[in-house]
Amino acid sequence: MSNQPFKKHTIYKKDKWNMLNVEVQGTKIVLTEISDQWGEECHTFIGRPAMLHWANERFAKDKFQGTEEEWQAIMDAFKAV
């Protein structure tokens, strides 16, 4: 078994209470969303397609409260995982 650390990606980080991080653990992807409003939520996906499907629903373009550039940056960060 390899001793390489898991690969971590920060999708966005507004402050220490509002962030979304993704950790690739082999074939498993663990997504942790921290919000000052809802606390911490953790989602586990088996593969990128499942994670991207979740991201498209969670950050639906027509319901996103932010600029087009912010939405595109978040989606690009998910695609880079």
Side-chain angles (χ1 to χ4, degrees):
M1 183 165 189
S2 174
N3 287 334
Q4 294 179 348
F6 300 129
K7 189 165 183 180
K8 295 182 182 182
H9 302 267
T10 299
I11 303 299
Y12 68 80
K13 182 172 182 173
K14 296 180 181 176
D15 53 38
K16 69 179 184 174
W17 302 111
N18 295 283
M19 66 183 81
L20 195 148
N21 296 306
V22 175
E23 195 172 277
V24 179
Q25 302 176 355
T27 59
K28 198 167 57 166
I29 298 171
V30 179
L31 183 145
T32 306
E33 186 172 18
I34 301 170
S35 164
D36 60 357
Q37 200 172 31
W38 303 106
E40 183 175 318
E41 283 188 67
C42 189
H43 305 277
T44 302
F45 304 100
I46 305 299
R48 289 181 73 241
M51 179 197 63
L52 292 172
H53 176 74
W54 177 89
N56 282 318
E57 288 185 0
R58 168 64 177 81
F59 296 100
K61 195 172 189 176
D62 58 334
K63 297 178 184 173
F64 184 73
Q65 296 178 353
T67 66
E68 171 84 22
E69 291 78 19
E70 290 173 323
W71 179 84
Q72 192 61 54
I74 289 171
M75 298 314 289
D76 288 345
F78 272 113
K79 292 175 185 170
V81 172

